Amino acid sequence: MKETRFVSQNKEKWLESETLLTNPIKDPEKLSNLFTQVVDDLSYSRTYYPNRSVRVYLNKIARQYFSIIYSHNKEKRNRFKLFWLDELPQIIIYSRKQLAISLIIFLISTAIGIFSSYKDPEFAATILGKDYVSMTQENISKGDPMAVYKKSHQVDMFLGITFNNLFVAFRIYVLGVFLSIGTVAILMYNGIMVGCFQFFFIERGLFLESALSIWLHGTLEISSIILAGGAGLTLGSGLIFPGTYSRLQAFQLSAIRSLKLMVGITPVFVLAAIIESFLTRYTDVPDAVKLVIIILSAAFIIGYFIVYPWLKSRSGFEVPLVEIRLPPQIKETISYTRVKNNGEILKDTFLFYSRNVRKLLPWIVAVSLFSTTVFFFLGQQEEFIVFEKEWWQILFSNLTFAMITNTPWSILINTISASVILYRVMKLLDGAASKTKFKLDIQAFIQLFLITAVMYAAIYLGGWGIFGLVCTFGLMLLMAFTQLTEKSGLPYGVAKGWQLFFANIRLAGELQIMLLFLSFTFLLVLSAPLIWMYTSILQWNFAETDTWSKDIIRFLEVFIKTCSFYMILPVMAACTGYLYFTLEEINTANSLKESILRFGNRGLKGFRR
């Protein structure tokens, strides 16, 4: 083909490519199609017009395409800034109705608390607890009404308050899954408690002193609770008002957006805990200083969560809010070579779970039955019930039978059980990616067993061991999956997993935080008194003297909690597996290179015909 004819046939396409490259908003599908065609044309020009200007021209366009592709890493570095300055304000605008409803519910509940306390002097003791009311009255009689904030050491108080605030917030958020009813109930309870608490001091003529101390941290804390309520209502709105989506698809969208809103609220809770732990205790600080801090806190909440999103919506957001790719009603193919964001990884994880639940469920039931039987007949279940009130023990108190290992031999039992589930999930995922049938790999299982043993040993250490595991469990699972899928030794798997994790710490870290949120969600749902209620009803059918019936019911309770824990393990393992494929593609770009070569070869073959 002559060069002039080649140019005339393709010039409109090339001009369109130039226009798209200069456009600030680029259509990804169109960009992909034109990129393929330009690379094909460049391959043809290099073969037939190597010394002509058309080759130079096409090479320039191709370089611009590649600069866009590889500038993705730069965009990743800016995503942290983009999230706080652009994406989160968009989510706030999207959830503004739910946030307004949350505020209204809380204010009405606060009014109910004030009115009820005014009408019934004993109402405060009912809501706040008799011990707390007695302690506060004693502090008032001593002339130090706010002495409760001075009882603990600053650091201990900070950790306790942070955990408690996050627990309250996530409980409000998670219970939105029950058609938002749970969120409304918790919001109302907290609102009534705040109204009752504030009126308790008003009634005793301590309004100004109490307000300046309480709202010193309460401005941020209460605002965050209201925002968490908005996130919970957003979560439930997908189920209640699916719109044109299926109910499951609408819930997926609302879950991702509400989860990002919760991520945005978390630093506010931490800041509130810092103020409460390190500043509120100093009750002799001048009132003017307290008032300035309260005004600054209120200005921050109003400015960032109300005014700024409104101004951004008026001026326009930098990047439109992109939905996760929803699975269609037909069977969707999962890609193991494409770079994915965390929303897509979570979506693929639940898709994997739904497709393989029949293969996983027998293993989960068998392992749960094994560990429950061992713990029950060896008397270990009684040791699990006795708890010291440390924060990490409270956190895992609803999964005691599956998580807490307070004897060395119980580490072995738990490690065997968890390793079997993790191995089964990872082999299913590896088989789906490599399109191979299941084949037992003793070496991979032993290496996975060793990594799992390290995690359970951390639980056995308690306190800081639990904290270390919470921070690194994603890394540990990534190491386990790396050695399994690459069929390598444990040292290589550990080194490779470490390298992949920390080379893309933002992506991996964000996914680990999301998994933590899912775990909190699971813990909160499991902590609902449903199991206790059903086992109590079952116990009513037997006499008090029937000790055998109590043992059976106790066995069922242990089994349900154990089985529940092992039901969530596949989510963590599959998430880590899909993260591995994304990190590997980012690290090597093998799929991208193969695509480019395939495009070039296809173009040459087409023109040679």
Side-chain angles (χ1 to χ4, degrees):
M1 182 189 299
K2 290 184 178 181
E3 182 185 2
T4 54
R5 186 180 175 188
F6 176 67
V7 172
S8 63
Q9 283 184 350
N10 298 286
K11 64 180 182 180
E12 291 184 5
K13 173 179 56 181
W14 300 340
L15 289 172
E16 187 180 5
S17 296
E18 287 189 278
T19 303
L20 183 62
L21 289 170
T22 56
N23 194 335
I25 300 177
K26 299 174 177 61
D27 183 351
E29 185 175 354
K30 200 171 186 180
L31 191 70
S32 175
N33 292 334
L34 289 174
F35 168 68
T36 304
Q37 296 176 43
V38 167
V39 171
D40 282 346
D41 293 341
L42 176 60
S43 299
Y44 185 83
S45 65
R46 282 177 173 173
T47 304
Y48 295 102
Y49 320 114
N51 300 317
R52 306 295 294 178
S53 59
V54 65
R55 182 195 62 80
V56 178
Y57 170 75
L58 291 172
N59 190 65
K60 178 184 176 182
I61 296 178
R63 286 177 62 185
Q64 290 177 325
Y65 272 109
F66 273 90
S67 67
I68 291 174
I69 294 172
Y70 287 103
S71 67
H72 186 58
N73 290 330
K74 183 178 179 182
E75 290 177 6
K76 284 182 178 180
R77 291 193 293 270
N78 294 331
R79 278 187 182 177
F80 181 82
K81 177 181 176 182
L82 193 66
F83 173 78
W84 294 104
L85 297 181
D86 199 76
E87 186 175 4
L88 184 58
Q90 287 187 74
I91 294 172
I92 292 170
I93 290 293
Y94 170 82
S95 306
R96 61 188 181 276
K97 292 182 180 178
Q98 289 84 357
L99 291 169
I101 292 171
S102 177
L103 174 62
I104 293 170
I105 292 172
F106 192 89
L107 291 176
I108 293 174
S109 302
T110 302
I112 293 172
I114 294 173
F115 180 77
S116 300
S117 298
Y118 173 74
K119 288 293 185 180
D120 182 6
E122 298 298 322
F123 187 73
T126 304
I127 298 298
L128 302 176
K130 292 182 179 179
D131 292 339
Y132 184 83
V133 169
S134 299
M135 179 190 66
T136 305
Q137 287 175 335
E138 184 179 346
N139 291 336
I140 292 173
S141 63
K142 292 179 181 178
D144 192 1
M146 299 291 110
V148 66
Y149 296 109
K150 303 176 182 178
K151 292 185 65 176
S152 303
H153 186 270
Q154 289 97 323
V155 176
D156 294 338
M157 189 175 179
F158 166 71
L159 292 175
I161 291 172
T162 301
F163 168 72
N164 180 69
N165 290 347
L166 290 175
F167 180 80
V168 171
F170 284 114
R171 182 170 56 182
I172 292 173
Y173 166 66
V174 166
L175 294 180
V177 76
F178 299 110
L179 303 178
S180 298
I181 296 173
T183 296
V184 172
I186 301 298
L187 267 176
M188 291 184 67
Y189 175 77
N190 280 273
I192 291 172
M193 187 167 61
V194 168
C196 183
F197 183 74
Q198 187 63 80
F199 186 79
F200 181 83
F201 291 98
I202 294 174
E203 197 175 27
R204 287 156 179 79
L206 297 168
F207 171 69
L208 183 61
E209 183 179 354
S210 65
L212 288 175
S213 295
I214 295 167
W215 292 98
L216 188 65
H217 61 272
T219 305
L220 295 177
E221 185 177 316
I222 299 304
S223 299
S224 300
I225 288 175
I226 294 170
L227 290 168
L233 295 175
T234 301
L235 176 66
S237 65
L239 292 172
I240 302 172
F241 307 109
T244 57
Y245 293 109
S246 69
R247 206 168 294 276
L248 177 61
Q249 290 176 323
F251 178 70
Q252 285 178 301
L253 293 176
S254 64
I256 292 297
R257 282 185 169 173
S258 60
L259 191 60
K260 289 180 179 179
L261 183 56
M262 285 302 299
V263 172
I265 299 169
T266 301
V268 184
F269 272 113
V270 176
L271 183 58
I274 291 173
I275 294 174
E276 185 173 358
S277 304
F278 296 96
L279 296 179
T280 306
R281 63 175 51 241
Y282 298 109
T283 55
D284 55 347
V285 172
D287 292 346
V289 175
K290 295 180 181 179
L291 186 61
V292 168
I293 295 175
I294 292 172
I295 292 173
L296 289 176
S297 299
F300 166 72
I301 294 294
I302 295 171
Y304 183 74
F305 289 97
I306 298 177
V307 177
Y308 180 70
W310 178 74
L311 292 175
K312 284 290 290 184
S313 66
R314 294 286 299 272
S315 61
F317 296 102
E318 294 180 28
V319 180
L321 198 61
V322 179
E323 304 285 10
I324 61 169
R325 296 187 177 183
L326 294 171
Q329 299 302 317
I330 59 174
K331 187 173 182 179
E332 181 185 9
T333 301
I334 298 177
S335 173
Y336 296 90
T337 57
R338 184 171 59 82
V339 175
K340 301 174 183 177
N341 59 38
N342 284 326
E344 292 172 318
I345 290 174
L346 284 172
K347 182 261 296 181
D348 286 347
T349 296
F350 288 110
L351 195 59
F352 166 83
Y353 204 145
S354 64
R355 291 178 181 177
N356 293 280
V357 66
R358 292 184 179 180
K359 296 179 181 178
L360 293 172
L361 195 56
W363 291 69
I364 292 171
V365 172
V367 163
S368 301
L369 193 61
F370 162 73
S371 57
T372 302
T373 303
V374 172
F375 287 136
F376 189 86
F377 286 103
L378 291 180
Q380 185 69 11
Q381 81 279 5
E382 294 300 329
E383 296 178 24
F384 283 140
I385 301 169
V386 180
F387 262 77
E388 298 176 7
K389 297 301 181 181
E390 294 185 22
W391 67 269
W392 62 273
Q393 292 175 319
I394 296 172
L395 173 63
F396 291 105
S397 62
N398 293 297
L399 292 175
T400 55
F401 306 105
M403 293 286 299
I404 302 303
T405 53
N406 46 13
T407 58
W409 68 264
S410 62
I411 296 178
L412 175 64
I413 302 302
N414 281 315
T415 301
I416 292 173
S417 302
S419 297
V420 169
I421 299 299
L422 291 173
Y423 179 78
R424 180 58 174 159
V425 174
M426 291 181 178
K427 286 296 287 184
L428 282 172
L429 192 57
D430 180 51
S434 59
K435 297 181 180 178
T436 57
K437 293 183 178 180
F438 177 83
K439 184 179 179 181
L440 184 62
D441 189 338
I442 300 297
Q443 179 186 355
F445 177 78
I446 292 174
Q447 293 175 162
L448 176 60
F449 177 87
L450 294 175
I451 293 175
T452 309
V454 171
M455 292 193 283
Y456 272 99
I459 298 173
Y460 176 72
L461 294 175
W464 289 108
I466 293 286
F467 179 77
L469 179 61
V470 166
C471 295
T472 61
F473 77 92
L475 172 62
M476 303 287 282
L477 290 177
L478 183 63
M479 291 174 177
F481 188 78
T482 301
Q483 63 85 19
L484 184 143
T485 194
E486 297 195 12
K487 297 175 175 57
S488 63
L490 186 57
Y492 175 83
V494 170
K496 179 69 177 292
W498 180 280
Q499 185 266 328
L500 288 175
F501 189 93
F502 286 98
N504 301 274
I505 184 65
R506 184 201 58 80
L507 182 68
E510 285 181 0
L511 183 63
Q512 180 160 312
I513 292 173
M514 288 183 180
L515 288 176
L516 280 175
F517 289 162
L518 287 173
S519 301
F520 275 119
T521 301
F522 183 75
L523 285 166
L524 291 174
V525 172
L526 190 63
S527 66
L530 296 176
I531 297 176
W532 175 84
M533 182 179 69
Y534 288 134
T535 53
S536 297
I537 293 173
L538 188 61
Q539 182 64 51
W540 294 345
N541 294 280
F542 299 94
E544 285 290 330
T545 56
D546 292 336
T547 55
W548 60 269
S549 66
K550 294 180 181 179
D551 290 339
I552 292 175
I553 293 171
R554 189 62 178 164
F555 183 89
L556 289 174
E557 183 181 352
V558 176
F559 174 77
I560 290 170
K561 290 189 175 182
T562 305
C563 191
S564 298
F565 169 67
Y566 289 128
M567 288 289 287
I568 201 173
L569 265 187
V571 174
M572 296 183 178
C575 258
T576 307
Y578 285 117
L579 175 66
Y580 164 82
F581 293 117
T582 288
L583 297 182
E584 183 69 6
E585 177 61 21
I586 293 173
N587 188 48
T588 63
N590 286 332
S591 178
L592 178 62
K593 293 174 184 176
E594 291 175 5
S595 298
I596 293 171
L597 290 174
R598 187 165 58 250
F599 291 148
N601 293 334
R602 187 177 64 187
L604 288 173
K605 290 178 182 178
F607 281 113
R608 284 172 182 169
R609 288 175 187 156

